[in-house]
Amino acid sequence: MSYSAEYVSTGARVGLRPFRHADGPEFTARVRESRELHRPWLFPPATLEEYEPYAAQRAASGFLVCELAGGDIAGFVNVNNIVRGAFQCGALGYGAFAHAAGRGLFGEGFDLLLAHAFAADGLGLHRLEANIQPGNTASIALVRGRGFRLEGLSPEFLYVDGAWRDHERWALTAAS
């Protein structure tokens, strides 16, 4: 089923829309199916009990990438830790689901998110950051291909999979 009225942006094959309570069963099933793809980089909620607070926290700046033909969830992109004022910056968190991997759907959705994040009638941000573990070559290729620049390494930056992990800092500004 398609939810075209709820999309904040659409492309040729996917649309970008906010999380909904009703997405919990499909989202968590996709997470469980994608475990091998996501590990050891990403640990999205795999149960409905985990999904509810996760989706609620992302009500204003979390988005699902959905196939226009059928509405299936292909992935998600969250703009976290938005700082307003003189900074106008957010940090990205994202993941594609296994059934959509390699089909270009997530890349199309990621591009829609970038446009929405920088648009005055969208999130109105000036800067987006992606903090990526150095060995996550797929994620690095995604941001590099969209013009993000490597700004440095942050040792022991985020607690992931039981340890403090180093992350490369990649950034893109609206003027880039």
Side-chain angles (χ1 to χ4, degrees):
M1 172 178 0
S2 179
Y3 299 94
S4 59
E6 296 181 39
Y7 290 122
V8 297
S9 184
T10 57
R13 299 179 299 152
V14 301
L16 195 67
R17 69 169 174 78
F19 284 81
R20 297 183 314 221
H21 173 79
D23 295 316
E26 181 185 359
F27 186 92
T28 56
R30 297 289 186 200
V31 167
R32 291 187 302 273
E33 293 166 3
S34 304
R35 182 180 171 96
E36 189 173 314
L37 176 66
H38 292 160
R39 296 302 185 327
W41 321 114
L42 186 62
F43 296 81
T47 67
L48 290 176
E49 294 76 23
E50 295 169 336
Y51 174 82
E52 293 302 326
Y54 178 87
Q57 279 185 315
R58 285 146 181 86
S61 59
F63 302 94
L64 297 174
V65 176
C66 301
E67 294 184 67
L68 293 177
D72 292 346
I73 301 171
F76 58 95
V77 185
N78 303 312
V79 184
N80 303 306
N81 306 324
I82 294 176
V83 179
R84 294 294 182 183
F87 200 33
Q88 296 297 331
C89 180
L92 295 173
Y94 50 86
F97 290 131
H99 77 283
R103 296 172 47 205
L105 298 171
F106 185 76
E108 183 181 331
F110 196 83
D111 291 341
L112 294 173
L113 179 277
L114 295 178
H116 179 71
F118 290 132
D121 62 345
L123 297 177
L125 298 175
H126 170 70
R127 176 183 170 92
L128 289 170
E129 298 178 357
N131 296 292
I132 305 168
Q133 292 179 57
N136 190 342
T137 56
S139 189
I140 290 169
L142 177 75
V143 299
R144 180 183 283 137
R146 280 148 180 88
F148 281 68
R149 66 190 166 276
L150 177 61
E151 294 188 333
L153 179 73
S154 297
E156 300 181 16
F157 184 68
L158 288 172
Y159 194 77
V160 179
D161 196 22
W164 289 99
R165 308 287 179 183
D166 296 350
H167 283 69
E168 292 179 355
R169 289 186 326 275
W170 292 80
L172 182 69
T173 55
S176 298

